[in-house]
């Protein structure tokens, strides 16, 4: 057991606190990771506000990279000294999803078995099974994916959540390739990553839609070929027009990615896709939201696929090393997502900035 500094949310909607926590030595199948960088994500704020569940206190932080310090019995996939990116859950390798080659849908994912605790023994709930606003954290070994150790931790740690969700929504869920048109509705961290992923795949045009011009500017630097401010023009008409300019006769984009998580933007995505096109929902709706009313005949008549993308349908062991290599080669600009590097005492201020601003990601660097 060792004691380290960490950021917790002790009770509903209270500001976060920097405290000392106890990190157990790794048990069978577990690893302790010395965290080098961890992005501040909306989901951390969501935990802090009690929007996920009531299992306070939470150990926040879940978009992280670091170095494996120690491993428990039976761990062979990583060793002390390995540079790793963390993922939410280790896959089991045995369930029906794993057996049919779709481990990204594993029904029996797991995290570390032992609990990290406060100094008084109170058990902590690690955000998304990670808890990486901490100098060290305890995870399941399967949550660690070894990547190129010369990569910048603050940049590649972001693959652990939002950036992977966006890139994966495009290349995994949406099957975006060269020769396809793509529209992305909502260009925050997730949507911007979907644009970067679409550019990586060689799609064109790539149409960025947002209500905020600064997000659209950023989208352009990441590979958007066209921008639409949907507070000023009808995004459905704009996407149809721009797609048809490249592919005459197209009635929308081949793939439309919804990265806001709202019924009205999902409905825009539905009508902005070409016949037989694909809609990908990657924005996370709240539990009270309903599927918008759409005539069933439109669902039938337009064909194609209505999909949702859970964690970018990623398989960390397959996708993280590949994307880190592309980043190292200068083909994927992960640095563009790091708006600022902050200390471990800067998490509360980073939450504040989320509400008003040009921040894709604040990243805690340890
Ligand atoms: N039309 C177009 N864009 C919109 C609209 C709208 N009606 N409403 C909001 N947006 C834009 C915002 O301007 C912002 O750029 O959507 C973007 C949302 O981005 P972020 O708040 O940065 O969220 P992000 O981290 O990208 O996550 C996207 O997935 O994980 C969930 O909770 C998260 O629902 C959110 C979504
Ligand atoms: Zn499984
Ligand atoms: Zn996240």
């Amino acid at each position: 057991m060792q004691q380290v500094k960490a950021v917790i949310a002790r009770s509903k909607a209270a500001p976060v606190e920097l405290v000392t926590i106890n990190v157990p030595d790794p048990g069978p199948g577990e690893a302790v990771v010395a965290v080098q960088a961890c992005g501040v994500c909306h989901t951390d704020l969501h935990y802090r506000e009690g929007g996920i569940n009531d299992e306070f206190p939470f150990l926040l932080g879940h978009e992280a990279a670091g170095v494996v310090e120690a491993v428990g019995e039976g761990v062979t996939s990583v060793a002390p000294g390995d540079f790793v990116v963390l993922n939410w859950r280790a896959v089991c390798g045995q369930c029906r999803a794993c057996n049919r080659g779709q481990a990204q849908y594993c029904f029996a994912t797991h995290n570390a078995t032992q609990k990290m605790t406060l100094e008084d023994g109170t058990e902590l709930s690690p955000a998304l099974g990670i808890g990486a606003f901490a100098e060290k954290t305890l995870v399941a070994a399967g949550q660690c994916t070894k990547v190129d150790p010369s990569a910048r931790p603050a940049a590649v740690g972001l693959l652990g959540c939002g950036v992977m969700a966006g890139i994966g929504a495009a290349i995994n869920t949406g099957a975006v390739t060269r020769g396809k048109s793509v529209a992305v509705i909502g260009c925050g961290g997730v949507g911007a990553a979907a644009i970067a992923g679409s550019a990586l795949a060689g799609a064109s045009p790539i149409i960025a839609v947002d209500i905020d011009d600064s997000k659209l500017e950023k989208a352009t630097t990441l590979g958007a070929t066209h921008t639409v401010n949907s507070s000023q023009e009808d995004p459905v008409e704009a996407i149809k027009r721009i797609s048809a300019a490249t592919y005459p006769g197209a009635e929308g984009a081949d793939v439309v990615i919804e990265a806001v998580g709202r019924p009205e933007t999902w409905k825009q995505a539905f009508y902005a896709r070409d016949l037989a096109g694909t809609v990908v929902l990657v924005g996370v709706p709240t539990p009270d939201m309903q599927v918008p009313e759409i005539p069933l005949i439109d669902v039938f008549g337009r064909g194609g696929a209505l999909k949702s993308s859970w964690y970018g349908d990623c398989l960390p062991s397959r996708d993280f090393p590949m994307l880190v290599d592309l980043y190292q080669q200068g083909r994927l600009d992960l640095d563009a997502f790091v708006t600022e590097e902050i200390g471990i005492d800067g998490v509360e201020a980073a939450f504040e900035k989320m509400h008003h601003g040009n921040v894709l990601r604040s990243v805690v660097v340890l």
Side-chain angles (χ1 to χ4, degrees), residues 278-340:
T278 302
V279 173
V280 176
L281 174 65
V282 65
V284 185
T286 55
D288 58 305
M289 291 176 182
Q290 302 294 318
V291 176
E293 257 191 48
I294 289 174
L296 195 53
I297 188 67
D298 286 357
V299 177
F300 175 75
R302 299 180 72 87
L306 306 176
K307 294 182 151 190
S308 54
S309 185
W310 166 244
Y311 203 174
D313 285 340
C314 79
L315 197 51
S317 56
R318 176 194 65 196
D319 296 341
F320 290 0
M322 168 189 74
L323 294 171
V324 170
D325 284 354
L326 291 171
Y327 165 61
Q328 292 293 81
Q329 293 161 15
R331 294 161 70 190
L332 172 63
D333 186 6
L334 295 177
D335 293 323
F337 294 88
V338 183
T339 310
E340 56 169 4

Short mmCIF file of all heavy atoms in Angstrom, two decimals, residues 278-340:
data_model
loop_
_atom_site.label_atom_id
_atom_site.label_comp_id
_atom_site.label_asym_id
_atom_site.label_seq_id
_atom_site.Cartn_x
_atom_site.Cartn_y
_atom_site.Cartn_z
N THR A 278 -25.64 6.39 -43.35
CA THR A 278 -25.54 5.94 -41.96
C THR A 278 -25.60 7.14 -41.01
O THR A 278 -24.94 8.14 -41.25
CB THR A 278 -24.20 5.19 -41.75
OG1 THR A 278 -24.15 4.09 -42.65
CG2 THR A 278 -24.05 4.69 -40.32
N VAL A 279 -26.38 7.00 -39.95
CA VAL A 279 -26.38 7.98 -38.87
C VAL A 279 -25.67 7.34 -37.68
O VAL A 279 -25.96 6.19 -37.32
CB VAL A 279 -27.81 8.37 -38.44
CG1 VAL A 279 -27.77 9.28 -37.19
CG2 VAL A 279 -28.53 9.08 -39.57
N VAL A 280 -24.72 8.07 -37.10
CA VAL A 280 -24.02 7.57 -35.91
C VAL A 280 -24.29 8.52 -34.75
O VAL A 280 -23.95 9.70 -34.82
CB VAL A 280 -22.50 7.47 -36.15
CG1 VAL A 280 -21.79 7.03 -34.87
CG2 VAL A 280 -22.18 6.52 -37.29
N LEU A 281 -24.90 8.00 -33.70
CA LEU A 281 -25.11 8.79 -32.48
C LEU A 281 -23.96 8.53 -31.52
O LEU A 281 -23.81 7.41 -31.03
CB LEU A 281 -26.44 8.40 -31.83
CG LEU A 281 -26.75 9.05 -30.48
CD1 LEU A 281 -26.92 10.56 -30.61
CD2 LEU A 281 -28.02 8.43 -29.86
N VAL A 282 -23.12 9.55 -31.29
CA VAL A 282 -22.02 9.39 -30.32
C VAL A 282 -22.15 10.37 -29.16
O VAL A 282 -21.63 10.14 -28.08
CB VAL A 282 -20.63 9.50 -31.03
CG1 VAL A 282 -20.40 10.88 -31.61
CG2 VAL A 282 -19.50 9.11 -30.10
N GLY A 283 -22.91 11.46 -29.35
CA GLY A 283 -23.24 12.35 -28.24
C GLY A 283 -24.09 11.57 -27.25
O GLY A 283 -24.89 10.73 -27.67
N VAL A 284 -23.93 11.85 -25.97
CA VAL A 284 -24.64 11.04 -24.95
C VAL A 284 -25.90 11.78 -24.50
O VAL A 284 -25.81 12.84 -23.90
CB VAL A 284 -23.74 10.76 -23.73
CG1 VAL A 284 -24.45 9.83 -22.77
CG2 VAL A 284 -22.41 10.17 -24.17
N PRO A 285 -27.08 11.21 -24.80
CA PRO A 285 -28.33 11.86 -24.37
C PRO A 285 -28.53 11.69 -22.87
O PRO A 285 -27.92 10.80 -22.26
CB PRO A 285 -29.41 11.07 -25.12
CG PRO A 285 -28.69 10.12 -26.04
CD PRO A 285 -27.31 9.95 -25.51
N THR A 286 -29.40 12.51 -22.27
CA THR A 286 -29.77 12.31 -20.87
C THR A 286 -30.94 11.31 -20.83
O THR A 286 -31.63 11.13 -21.83
CB THR A 286 -30.18 13.64 -20.22
OG1 THR A 286 -31.22 14.22 -20.99
CG2 THR A 286 -29.00 14.60 -20.14
N PRO A 287 -31.15 10.66 -19.68
CA PRO A 287 -32.16 9.58 -19.61
C PRO A 287 -33.58 10.02 -19.98
O PRO A 287 -34.39 9.19 -20.39
CB PRO A 287 -32.09 9.13 -18.15
CG PRO A 287 -30.74 9.52 -17.68
CD PRO A 287 -30.40 10.78 -18.41
N ASP A 288 -33.88 11.29 -19.83
CA ASP A 288 -35.26 11.75 -20.10
C ASP A 288 -35.52 12.00 -21.59
O ASP A 288 -36.67 12.21 -21.99
CB ASP A 288 -35.53 13.03 -19.32
CG ASP A 288 -34.52 14.12 -19.67
OD1 ASP A 288 -33.30 13.85 -19.55
OD2 ASP A 288 -34.92 15.21 -20.10
N MET A 289 -34.48 11.97 -22.41
CA MET A 289 -34.69 12.30 -23.84
C MET A 289 -35.30 11.13 -24.60
O MET A 289 -34.97 9.98 -24.34
CB MET A 289 -33.36 12.69 -24.48
CG MET A 289 -32.81 14.00 -23.96
SD MET A 289 -31.18 14.33 -24.66
CE MET A 289 -30.80 15.88 -23.84
N GLN A 290 -36.19 11.47 -25.55
CA GLN A 290 -36.87 10.45 -26.36
C GLN A 290 -36.39 10.52 -27.80
O GLN A 290 -35.96 11.58 -28.27
CB GLN A 290 -38.38 10.70 -26.34
CG GLN A 290 -39.00 10.72 -24.96
CD GLN A 290 -38.94 9.37 -24.28
OE1 GLN A 290 -39.19 8.34 -24.91
NE2 GLN A 290 -38.59 9.35 -23.00
N VAL A 291 -36.53 9.41 -28.52
CA VAL A 291 -36.30 9.43 -29.96
C VAL A 291 -37.29 10.42 -30.57
O VAL A 291 -38.48 10.36 -30.24
CB VAL A 291 -36.52 8.02 -30.56
CG1 VAL A 291 -36.38 8.06 -32.08
CG2 VAL A 291 -35.55 7.03 -29.95
N PRO A 292 -36.83 11.35 -31.41
CA PRO A 292 -37.77 12.34 -31.95
C PRO A 292 -38.79 11.68 -32.86
O PRO A 292 -38.54 10.60 -33.40
CB PRO A 292 -36.86 13.27 -32.75
CG PRO A 292 -35.61 12.52 -32.99
CD PRO A 292 -35.46 11.54 -31.88
N GLU A 293 -39.94 12.32 -32.98
CA GLU A 293 -40.99 11.75 -33.84
C GLU A 293 -40.60 11.85 -35.30
O GLU A 293 -40.39 12.94 -35.82
CB GLU A 293 -42.31 12.47 -33.58
CG GLU A 293 -43.20 11.59 -32.72
CD GLU A 293 -44.62 12.10 -32.65
OE1 GLU A 293 -45.21 12.42 -33.70
OE2 GLU A 293 -45.12 12.16 -31.52
N ILE A 294 -40.49 10.72 -35.93
CA ILE A 294 -40.15 10.64 -37.35
C ILE A 294 -41.10 9.63 -37.96
O ILE A 294 -41.27 8.54 -37.41
CB ILE A 294 -38.68 10.17 -37.51
CG1 ILE A 294 -37.72 11.28 -37.07
CG2 ILE A 294 -38.40 9.75 -38.95
CD1 ILE A 294 -36.27 10.87 -37.05
N PRO A 295 -41.75 9.98 -39.08
CA PRO A 295 -42.65 9.01 -39.70
C PRO A 295 -41.90 7.70 -39.99
O PRO A 295 -40.80 7.73 -40.54
CB PRO A 295 -43.08 9.70 -41.00
CG PRO A 295 -42.84 11.15 -40.76
CD PRO A 295 -41.68 11.25 -39.81
N LEU A 296 -42.51 6.59 -39.64
CA LEU A 296 -41.85 5.30 -39.83
C LEU A 296 -41.52 5.07 -41.30
O LEU A 296 -40.51 4.45 -41.63
CB LEU A 296 -42.74 4.19 -39.27
CG LEU A 296 -42.07 2.83 -39.05
CD1 LEU A 296 -40.82 2.93 -38.19
CD2 LEU A 296 -43.07 1.87 -38.40
N ILE A 297 -42.36 5.65 -42.16
CA ILE A 297 -42.13 5.48 -43.60
C ILE A 297 -40.80 6.12 -44.01
O ILE A 297 -40.14 5.67 -44.94
CB ILE A 297 -43.33 6.05 -44.43
CG1 ILE A 297 -43.21 5.71 -45.92
CG2 ILE A 297 -43.46 7.54 -44.24
CD1 ILE A 297 -43.35 4.26 -46.23
N ASP A 298 -40.39 7.18 -43.29
CA ASP A 298 -39.09 7.81 -43.61
C ASP A 298 -37.94 6.89 -43.20
O ASP A 298 -36.91 6.84 -43.87
CB ASP A 298 -38.95 9.16 -42.90
CG ASP A 298 -39.82 10.23 -43.55
OD1 ASP A 298 -40.47 9.92 -44.57
OD2 ASP A 298 -39.84 11.36 -43.03
N VAL A 299 -38.13 6.19 -42.07
CA VAL A 299 -37.09 5.24 -41.64
C VAL A 299 -36.96 4.14 -42.69
O VAL A 299 -35.87 3.80 -43.13
CB VAL A 299 -37.45 4.62 -40.27
CG1 VAL A 299 -36.41 3.57 -39.86
CG2 VAL A 299 -37.55 5.70 -39.20
N PHE A 300 -38.11 3.65 -43.12
CA PHE A 300 -38.13 2.58 -44.12
C PHE A 300 -37.60 3.08 -45.46
O PHE A 300 -36.70 2.49 -46.06
CB PHE A 300 -39.57 2.07 -44.29
CG PHE A 300 -39.71 1.06 -45.38
CD1 PHE A 300 -39.27 -0.24 -45.19
CD2 PHE A 300 -40.27 1.41 -46.60
CE1 PHE A 300 -39.38 -1.17 -46.22
CE2 PHE A 300 -40.38 0.48 -47.62
CZ PHE A 300 -39.94 -0.82 -47.43
N GLY A 301 -38.14 4.19 -45.88
CA GLY A 301 -37.88 4.67 -47.23
C GLY A 301 -36.44 5.10 -47.47
O GLY A 301 -35.94 5.02 -48.59
N ARG A 302 -35.77 5.58 -46.42
CA ARG A 302 -34.42 6.07 -46.63
C ARG A 302 -33.38 4.96 -46.52
O ARG A 302 -32.24 5.14 -46.91
CB ARG A 302 -34.10 7.19 -45.63
CG ARG A 302 -35.04 8.38 -45.79
CD ARG A 302 -34.69 9.46 -44.79
NE ARG A 302 -33.45 10.12 -45.12
CZ ARG A 302 -33.34 11.15 -45.93
NH1 ARG A 302 -34.41 11.64 -46.52
NH2 ARG A 302 -32.18 11.70 -46.17
N GLY A 303 -33.77 3.82 -45.98
CA GLY A 303 -32.83 2.71 -45.87
C GLY A 303 -31.64 3.04 -44.99
O GLY A 303 -31.70 3.94 -44.16
N GLY A 304 -30.56 2.32 -45.20
CA GLY A 304 -29.33 2.63 -44.47
C GLY A 304 -29.38 2.18 -43.02
O GLY A 304 -30.15 1.29 -42.66
N ALA A 305 -28.58 2.82 -42.21
CA ALA A 305 -28.39 2.34 -40.84
C ALA A 305 -28.42 3.48 -39.83
O ALA A 305 -27.88 4.55 -40.07
CB ALA A 305 -27.04 1.61 -40.74
N LEU A 306 -29.10 3.22 -38.71
CA LEU A 306 -29.12 4.16 -37.59
C LEU A 306 -28.33 3.49 -36.46
O LEU A 306 -28.78 2.50 -35.90
CB LEU A 306 -30.57 4.42 -37.14
CG LEU A 306 -31.51 4.88 -38.26
CD1 LEU A 306 -32.93 5.02 -37.73
CD2 LEU A 306 -31.02 6.21 -38.83
N LYS A 307 -27.15 4.02 -36.18
CA LYS A 307 -26.27 3.36 -35.23
C LYS A 307 -25.96 4.24 -34.04
O LYS A 307 -26.09 5.47 -34.11
CB LYS A 307 -24.94 3.04 -35.92
CG LYS A 307 -25.04 2.01 -37.03
CD LYS A 307 -23.65 1.75 -37.60
CE LYS A 307 -23.54 0.34 -38.14
NZ LYS A 307 -22.13 0.03 -38.47
N SER A 308 -25.53 3.62 -32.96
CA SER A 308 -24.94 4.40 -31.88
C SER A 308 -23.55 3.86 -31.64
O SER A 308 -23.25 2.71 -31.97
CB SER A 308 -25.80 4.31 -30.63
OG SER A 308 -26.03 2.97 -30.28
N SER A 309 -22.70 4.73 -31.11
CA SER A 309 -21.30 4.39 -30.97
C SER A 309 -20.92 4.45 -29.51
O SER A 309 -20.90 5.52 -28.90
CB SER A 309 -20.45 5.38 -31.79
OG SER A 309 -19.10 4.99 -31.77
N TRP A 310 -20.66 3.31 -28.96
CA TRP A 310 -20.31 3.22 -27.53
C TRP A 310 -18.80 3.20 -27.43
O TRP A 310 -18.15 2.28 -27.90
CB TRP A 310 -20.97 1.95 -26.97
CG TRP A 310 -20.50 1.48 -25.66
CD1 TRP A 310 -19.88 0.30 -25.40
CD2 TRP A 310 -20.63 2.14 -24.41
NE1 TRP A 310 -19.61 0.20 -24.06
CE2 TRP A 310 -20.05 1.32 -23.44
CE3 TRP A 310 -21.17 3.39 -24.03
CZ2 TRP A 310 -19.98 1.68 -22.10
CZ3 TRP A 310 -21.10 3.73 -22.69
CH2 TRP A 310 -20.53 2.89 -21.75
N TYR A 311 -18.21 4.27 -26.85
CA TYR A 311 -16.75 4.37 -26.72
C TYR A 311 -16.08 4.23 -28.10
O TYR A 311 -15.04 3.60 -28.24
CB TYR A 311 -16.25 3.26 -25.78
CG TYR A 311 -14.91 3.49 -25.09
CD1 TYR A 311 -14.47 2.59 -24.13
CD2 TYR A 311 -14.10 4.58 -25.37
CE1 TYR A 311 -13.26 2.75 -23.47
CE2 TYR A 311 -12.89 4.76 -24.73
CZ TYR A 311 -12.46 3.84 -23.79
OH TYR A 311 -11.26 4.00 -23.14
N GLY A 312 -16.74 4.76 -29.12
CA GLY A 312 -16.17 4.70 -30.46
C GLY A 312 -16.04 3.27 -30.98
O GLY A 312 -15.26 3.02 -31.90
N ASP A 313 -16.82 2.33 -30.40
CA ASP A 313 -16.67 0.92 -30.77
C ASP A 313 -15.21 0.52 -30.84
O ASP A 313 -14.78 -0.22 -31.73
CB ASP A 313 -17.37 0.63 -32.12
CG ASP A 313 -18.89 0.58 -31.97
OD1 ASP A 313 -19.37 0.40 -30.83
OD2 ASP A 313 -19.58 0.72 -32.99
N CYS A 314 -14.44 1.06 -29.91
CA CYS A 314 -13.00 0.82 -29.98
C CYS A 314 -12.59 -0.48 -29.32
O CYS A 314 -13.29 -0.99 -28.43
CB CYS A 314 -12.21 1.99 -29.36
SG CYS A 314 -12.14 1.98 -27.56
N LEU A 315 -11.51 -1.01 -29.78
CA LEU A 315 -10.85 -2.12 -29.12
C LEU A 315 -9.48 -1.55 -28.76
O LEU A 315 -8.63 -1.39 -29.64
CB LEU A 315 -10.75 -3.29 -30.10
CG LEU A 315 -10.47 -4.66 -29.51
CD1 LEU A 315 -11.45 -4.98 -28.37
CD2 LEU A 315 -10.57 -5.70 -30.60
N PRO A 316 -9.29 -1.18 -27.49
CA PRO A 316 -8.05 -0.46 -27.14
C PRO A 316 -6.78 -1.16 -27.63
O PRO A 316 -5.88 -0.51 -28.15
CB PRO A 316 -8.12 -0.40 -25.61
CG PRO A 316 -9.60 -0.34 -25.33
CD PRO A 316 -10.21 -1.27 -26.35
N SER A 317 -6.73 -2.47 -27.48
CA SER A 317 -5.50 -3.17 -27.86
C SER A 317 -5.22 -3.06 -29.37
O SER A 317 -4.09 -3.16 -29.81
CB SER A 317 -5.58 -4.65 -27.46
OG SER A 317 -6.73 -5.23 -28.04
N ARG A 318 -6.26 -2.85 -30.15
CA ARG A 318 -6.10 -2.68 -31.60
C ARG A 318 -5.92 -1.20 -31.96
O ARG A 318 -5.04 -0.85 -32.75
CB ARG A 318 -7.36 -3.23 -32.29
CG ARG A 318 -7.42 -3.05 -33.79
CD ARG A 318 -8.83 -3.31 -34.33
NE ARG A 318 -9.79 -2.33 -33.81
CZ ARG A 318 -11.11 -2.48 -33.85
NH1 ARG A 318 -11.64 -3.58 -34.35
NH2 ARG A 318 -11.91 -1.54 -33.38
N ASP A 319 -6.74 -0.34 -31.35
CA ASP A 319 -6.82 1.05 -31.82
C ASP A 319 -5.82 2.00 -31.17
O ASP A 319 -5.33 2.93 -31.83
CB ASP A 319 -8.25 1.58 -31.59
CG ASP A 319 -9.28 0.84 -32.43
OD1 ASP A 319 -8.88 0.19 -33.42
OD2 ASP A 319 -10.47 0.90 -32.10
N PHE A 320 -5.52 1.85 -29.89
CA PHE A 320 -4.62 2.81 -29.24
C PHE A 320 -3.21 2.82 -29.87
O PHE A 320 -2.71 3.89 -30.23
CB PHE A 320 -4.50 2.55 -27.73
CG PHE A 320 -5.74 2.86 -26.90
CD1 PHE A 320 -6.90 3.35 -27.48
CD2 PHE A 320 -5.72 2.67 -25.53
CE1 PHE A 320 -8.03 3.63 -26.70
CE2 PHE A 320 -6.83 2.96 -24.73
CZ PHE A 320 -7.98 3.43 -25.32
N PRO A 321 -2.56 1.65 -30.03
CA PRO A 321 -1.21 1.68 -30.61
C PRO A 321 -1.21 2.25 -32.02
O PRO A 321 -0.32 3.02 -32.39
CB PRO A 321 -0.77 0.22 -30.61
CG PRO A 321 -1.64 -0.45 -29.60
CD PRO A 321 -2.96 0.28 -29.65
N MET A 322 -2.23 1.91 -32.81
CA MET A 322 -2.31 2.42 -34.18
C MET A 322 -2.41 3.94 -34.19
O MET A 322 -1.69 4.63 -34.91
CB MET A 322 -3.54 1.82 -34.88
CG MET A 322 -3.87 2.50 -36.19
SD MET A 322 -5.45 2.00 -36.88
CE MET A 322 -6.65 2.82 -35.84
N LEU A 323 -3.31 4.48 -33.35
CA LEU A 323 -3.52 5.93 -33.36
C LEU A 323 -2.31 6.67 -32.78
O LEU A 323 -1.98 7.77 -33.23
CB LEU A 323 -4.82 6.28 -32.61
CG LEU A 323 -6.09 5.76 -33.31
CD1 LEU A 323 -7.32 5.94 -32.42
CD2 LEU A 323 -6.31 6.46 -34.66
N VAL A 324 -1.65 6.07 -31.80
CA VAL A 324 -0.43 6.70 -31.27
C VAL A 324 0.64 6.73 -32.36
O VAL A 324 1.34 7.74 -32.53
CB VAL A 324 0.08 5.96 -30.01
CG1 VAL A 324 1.46 6.47 -29.60
CG2 VAL A 324 -0.91 6.15 -28.86
N ASP A 325 0.76 5.67 -33.13
CA ASP A 325 1.74 5.66 -34.22
C ASP A 325 1.41 6.74 -35.26
O ASP A 325 2.28 7.46 -35.72
CB ASP A 325 1.82 4.29 -34.88
CG ASP A 325 2.59 3.29 -34.01
OD1 ASP A 325 3.14 3.71 -32.97
OD2 ASP A 325 2.64 2.10 -34.36
N LEU A 326 0.14 6.86 -35.60
CA LEU A 326 -0.25 7.89 -36.58
C LEU A 326 0.04 9.29 -36.03
O LEU A 326 0.47 10.19 -36.76
CB LEU A 326 -1.73 7.76 -36.95
CG LEU A 326 -2.08 6.50 -37.75
CD1 LEU A 326 -3.59 6.33 -37.88
CD2 LEU A 326 -1.44 6.55 -39.14
N TYR A 327 -0.16 9.46 -34.74
CA TYR A 327 0.18 10.74 -34.09
C TYR A 327 1.69 10.98 -34.18
O TYR A 327 2.12 12.07 -34.56
CB TYR A 327 -0.28 10.67 -32.63
CG TYR A 327 0.29 11.74 -31.72
CD1 TYR A 327 0.06 13.09 -31.97
CD2 TYR A 327 1.06 11.39 -30.60
CE1 TYR A 327 0.59 14.07 -31.12
CE2 TYR A 327 1.58 12.35 -29.76
CZ TYR A 327 1.35 13.68 -30.03
OH TYR A 327 1.87 14.64 -29.20
N GLN A 328 2.46 9.97 -33.89
CA GLN A 328 3.92 10.11 -33.92
C GLN A 328 4.43 10.43 -35.33
O GLN A 328 5.43 11.10 -35.50
CB GLN A 328 4.60 8.83 -33.40
CG GLN A 328 4.39 8.58 -31.92
CD GLN A 328 5.08 9.61 -31.05
OE1 GLN A 328 4.56 10.71 -30.86
NE2 GLN A 328 6.26 9.29 -30.54
N GLN A 329 3.70 9.93 -36.31
CA GLN A 329 4.08 10.20 -37.71
C GLN A 329 3.58 11.55 -38.21
O GLN A 329 3.82 11.92 -39.35
CB GLN A 329 3.49 9.11 -38.63
CG GLN A 329 4.08 7.73 -38.42
CD GLN A 329 3.17 6.65 -38.99
OE1 GLN A 329 2.25 6.93 -39.77
NE2 GLN A 329 3.40 5.41 -38.58
N GLY A 330 2.86 12.27 -37.38
CA GLY A 330 2.36 13.58 -37.78
C GLY A 330 1.09 13.51 -38.62
O GLY A 330 0.70 14.48 -39.26
N ARG A 331 0.41 12.35 -38.61
CA ARG A 331 -0.79 12.21 -39.44
C ARG A 331 -2.08 12.41 -38.65
O ARG A 331 -3.16 12.50 -39.23
CB ARG A 331 -0.79 10.83 -40.11
CG ARG A 331 0.35 10.72 -41.11
CD ARG A 331 0.68 9.27 -41.44
NE ARG A 331 -0.35 8.62 -42.23
CZ ARG A 331 -0.37 7.30 -42.47
NH1 ARG A 331 0.58 6.52 -41.96
NH2 ARG A 331 -1.32 6.78 -43.19
N LEU A 332 -1.98 12.46 -37.34
CA LEU A 332 -3.15 12.69 -36.49
C LEU A 332 -2.73 13.69 -35.41
O LEU A 332 -1.86 13.40 -34.59
CB LEU A 332 -3.58 11.36 -35.84
CG LEU A 332 -4.67 11.47 -34.76
CD1 LEU A 332 -5.97 12.01 -35.35
CD2 LEU A 332 -4.91 10.11 -34.11
N ASP A 333 -3.36 14.87 -35.45
CA ASP A 333 -2.91 15.96 -34.58
C ASP A 333 -3.57 15.89 -33.21
O ASP A 333 -4.50 16.64 -32.93
CB ASP A 333 -3.19 17.30 -35.26
CG ASP A 333 -2.61 18.47 -34.48
OD1 ASP A 333 -1.88 18.22 -33.49
OD2 ASP A 333 -2.89 19.62 -34.86
N LEU A 334 -3.10 15.00 -32.37
CA LEU A 334 -3.68 14.92 -31.02
C LEU A 334 -3.32 16.15 -30.18
O LEU A 334 -4.06 16.51 -29.26
CB LEU A 334 -3.20 13.65 -30.31
CG LEU A 334 -3.66 12.32 -30.91
CD1 LEU A 334 -3.06 11.15 -30.15
CD2 LEU A 334 -5.19 12.22 -30.91
N ASP A 335 -2.21 16.81 -30.50
CA ASP A 335 -1.84 18.02 -29.75
C ASP A 335 -2.93 19.09 -29.85
O ASP A 335 -3.10 19.90 -28.94
CB ASP A 335 -0.52 18.60 -30.26
CG ASP A 335 0.67 17.69 -29.98
OD1 ASP A 335 0.69 17.05 -28.90
OD2 ASP A 335 1.56 17.61 -30.83
N ALA A 336 -3.65 19.08 -30.96
CA ALA A 336 -4.69 20.09 -31.17
C ALA A 336 -5.80 20.01 -30.12
O ALA A 336 -6.51 20.99 -29.88
CB ALA A 336 -5.29 19.94 -32.56
N PHE A 337 -5.93 18.84 -29.49
CA PHE A 337 -6.99 18.67 -28.49
C PHE A 337 -6.55 19.14 -27.10
O PHE A 337 -7.36 19.27 -26.20
CB PHE A 337 -7.43 17.20 -28.43
CG PHE A 337 -8.11 16.75 -29.69
CD1 PHE A 337 -7.37 16.23 -30.75
CD2 PHE A 337 -9.47 16.90 -29.84
CE1 PHE A 337 -7.99 15.85 -31.93
CE2 PHE A 337 -10.10 16.53 -31.02
CZ PHE A 337 -9.36 16.00 -32.07
N VAL A 338 -5.24 19.34 -26.92
CA VAL A 338 -4.72 19.76 -25.62
C VAL A 338 -4.69 21.28 -25.60
O VAL A 338 -3.79 21.90 -26.13
CB VAL A 338 -3.30 19.20 -25.37
CG1 VAL A 338 -2.82 19.59 -23.97
CG2 VAL A 338 -3.27 17.70 -25.56
N THR A 339 -5.72 21.88 -25.01
CA THR A 339 -5.78 23.34 -24.98
C THR A 339 -4.82 23.89 -23.94
O THR A 339 -4.19 24.92 -24.15
CB THR A 339 -7.22 23.80 -24.65
OG1 THR A 339 -8.11 23.10 -25.51
CG2 THR A 339 -7.39 25.29 -24.83
N GLU A 340 -4.72 23.22 -22.80
CA GLU A 340 -3.81 23.68 -21.76
C GLU A 340 -3.38 22.50 -20.90
O GLU A 340 -4.11 21.54 -20.74
CB GLU A 340 -4.49 24.74 -20.87
CG GLU A 340 -5.80 24.24 -20.24
CD GLU A 340 -6.35 25.18 -19.16
OE1 GLU A 340 -5.78 26.26 -18.95
OE2 GLU A 340 -7.35 24.80 -18.54
#
